[in-house]
Amino acid sequence: MENLETRTIRKISARLIPFLMVCYFIAYLDRVNVGFAALTMNKALGLTATMFGFGSGIFFLTYFLFEVPSNLALDKFGARKWIARIMVSWGILSGLMAFIPDIARATGLGNEITFYVIRALLGFAEAGFFPGIIFYLTLWYPSVYRGRIVGAFMAAIPLSSAIGSPISGMILGMNGVGGLDGWQWLFIIEAAPAVLLAFVTYFYLTDLPADAHWLEPDERVWLADRLDAERRQREAAHKLSVLEVMGNPRVWALALVYFGLVACNYGVGFWLPQIIKAFGLSNAATGWVTAIPYAIGAAFMVWYGYHSDATGERKGHTAVGLLIAAAGIAASTLTGNPALTIVAFTIGACGVFGTLPVFWTLPTAVLSGTAAAAGIAAINSIGNLAGFAGPYAMGWIKDATGSFTGGLLLIAALAIVAMAMVLALGHEDAVERARAAAAAQRAELF
């Protein structure tokens, strides 16, 4: 017979994680499918590499502005209402990307400006979704489980590209269907699930463990007691208000580390289909080849998060992951052989995706409650500015030099800087260390 803790965690995971993975799968796909659309969209709209890089990245500027307010709203109104609101608005705006030529003609703004405006509005709409989910998971899971749980949830990032890339490549072949180009169908088809899932989210998610009637009374009591004990332990050492969080040097340092990690993710991710297409592949083949680094990265991500939980070690895992990311991305510039280039990008993907879930255990080890909502959102929003800087720098350097090499080396350098900052940071790991032995005994849970 399962003990109380095992039974409770297993039941929570079965209820929440698959559903949240599906939601984030759709969110991430809607965020980055512009990279695949670019294979034909850029020519149709008359966009240069610099224009595309700016438009892809402007999403993150508006995302930055609304991130903290959005997460505080989630804390106030509850996860199910706020996440449903986010999903409806981003789904509608992502679908509008398909009608850029029509909107441009109707408004007189032109294709370039219309592209920028819709991407900016999409950033406003989606702000708060990812950090909101990270904060939401802290309300349900004790710290010893968070590396593997966040890893399982965030596996939706590489999986969305691993699965979505071949699908996107095939959708691009729908030219002329209904009078629309393939890139327009890509936005329409991949936006629809977000709107549908928003309604499911409203009725399916439970805001707090105390409201979880699908848990037994003894399970709710155990979870509340455990989370409350951890909260008191954190606050005994670090009880911060929202304003103190926003001025906390550690929060800003973690934001800069995340900046380097995000630069690797989006700086490469938005351009990878175009880099691979340059091997002389068709759109459909480009989709399948692009999926390789993401599929392997997804498996590595889950294992790496589990390994970090089992050992109770966070800082070293984060630093090593960043080093792997930098090495893979830099190595991709050293060969013109397509197979070796894909191997290098796959190594880089393992580093990026393996680091992501472990990184998010660093701020949640010292922040709780509303301070955690604000701190996680601040780190995510500041770090995600690299989602603007990385793609824009790649586009600008590509137009200036005719090659992606300079941009890729710049991104690898940012990962090295992030690694150095992680090593310089301390880490409050009392909660993880206190439970490390128990975590190893509970390995069979996942």
Side-chain angles (χ1 to χ4, degrees), residues 248-259 359 379 421-422 425:
N248 186 280
R250 181 179 178 83
V251 170
W252 282 89
L254 287 170
L256 293 176
V257 172
Y258 196 51
F259 185 97
F359 169 84
I379 291 167
M421 293 190 67
V422 168
L425 281 172

Side-chain angles (χ1 to χ4, degrees), residues 48 50 52 54 64 72 136-137 149 186 194 245 252 264 305 351 402 426 434:
T48 66
T50 302
F52 171 75
F54 181 84
F64 163 78
L72 293 176
Y136 181 66
L137 291 174
I149 290 299
L186 187 152
V245 164
W252 282 89
C264 295

Side-chain angles (χ1 to χ4, degrees), residues 96 368 390:
L96 284 179
S368 62

Side-chain angles (χ1 to χ4, degrees), residues 45-411:
L45 300 182
L47 302 178
T48 66
T50 302
M51 292 174 186
F52 171 75
F54 181 84
S56 298
I58 200 172
F59 168 99
F60 295 97
L61 291 182
T62 50
Y63 189 90
F64 163 78
L65 293 173
F66 200 55
E67 189 85 318
V68 173
S70 181
N71 230 33
L72 293 176
L74 182 145
D75 186 42
K76 179 178 180 180
F77 297 113
R80 66 187 187 91
K81 292 179 181 178
W82 198 249
I83 292 173
R85 192 284 304 165
I86 290 172
M87 294 180 75
V88 166
S89 56
W90 103 51
I92 292 171
L93 285 163
S94 184
L96 284 179
M97 288 285 293
F99 304 102
I100 287 175
D102 302 296
I103 296 171
R105 283 192 296 269
T107 60
L109 293 176
N111 290 337
E112 177 189 351
I113 300 301
T114 303
F115 175 55
Y116 296 161
V117 169
I118 295 178
R119 287 290 294 177
L121 291 174
L122 186 61
F124 270 119
E126 196 181 320
F129 180 76
F130 171 75
I133 296 296
I134 296 295
F135 172 62
Y136 181 66
L137 291 174
T138 70
L139 303 178
W140 289 89
Y141 286 97
S143 61
V144 72
Y145 295 99
R146 289 178 192 161
R148 74 193 79 174
I149 290 299
V150 174
F153 162 66
M154 293 187 71
I157 295 177
L159 284 175
S160 68
S161 293
I163 297 172
S165 293
I167 294 173
S168 296
M170 288 186 286
I171 293 174
L172 286 178
M174 294 177 61
N175 284 323
V177 177
L180 299 176
D181 290 338
W183 67 268
Q184 293 175 296
W185 278 116
L186 187 152
F187 286 119
I188 294 170
I189 291 172
E190 295 183 356
V195 178
L196 296 175
L197 274 174
F199 295 98
V200 178
T201 298
Y202 182 82
F203 293 103
Y204 184 80
L205 285 187
T206 305
D207 286 331
L208 298 168
D211 303 323
H213 299 299
W214 41 270
L215 289 176
E216 298 297 328
D218 61 337
E219 294 167 346
R220 290 198 296 270
V221 170
W222 172 83
L223 184 60
D225 290 346
R226 174 70 174 274
L227 292 172
D228 188 57
E230 291 191 359
R231 178 187 57 79
R232 290 195 303 269
Q233 183 176 358
R234 286 191 297 270
E235 292 182 353
H238 300 276
K239 187 170 184 179
L240 302 174
S241 67
V242 172
L243 289 178
E244 287 172 331
V245 164
M246 299 307 294
N248 186 280
R250 181 179 178 83
V251 170
W252 282 89
L254 287 170
L256 293 176
V257 172
Y258 196 51
F259 185 97
L261 186 55
V262 170
C264 295
N265 187 14
Y266 293 117
V268 176
F270 280 132
W271 292 99
L272 191 57
Q274 295 181 59
I275 293 173
I276 292 175
K277 178 68 183 293
F279 295 158
L281 302 178
S282 66
N283 289 336
T286 297
W288 287 105
V289 174
T290 301
I292 294 172
Y294 293 104
I296 297 175
F300 186 85
M301 175 187 239
V302 175
W303 174 82
Y304 205 62
Y306 172 82
H307 188 269
S308 177
D309 274 355
T311 59
E313 201 287 321
R314 307 302 191 186
K315 186 171 74 171
H317 278 74
T318 304
V320 169
L322 284 163
L323 178 61
I324 294 171
I329 293 170
S332 72
T333 69
L334 301 178
T335 176
N337 183 290
L340 293 178
T341 300
I342 293 301
V343 170
F345 278 128
T346 299
I347 293 171
C350 287
V352 172
F353 297 125
T355 305
L356 281 169
V358 181
F359 169 84
W360 283 110
T361 65
L362 301 180
T364 58
V366 295
L367 299 173
S368 62
T370 303
I376 291 168
I379 291 167
N380 191 64
S381 60
I382 295 168
N384 266 298
L385 287 175
F388 169 75
Y392 182 57
M394 285 282 289
W396 185 84
I397 293 172
K398 173 64 166 59
D399 277 341
T401 66
S403 169
F404 288 108
T405 297
L408 291 169
L409 291 176
L410 172 63
I411 288 169

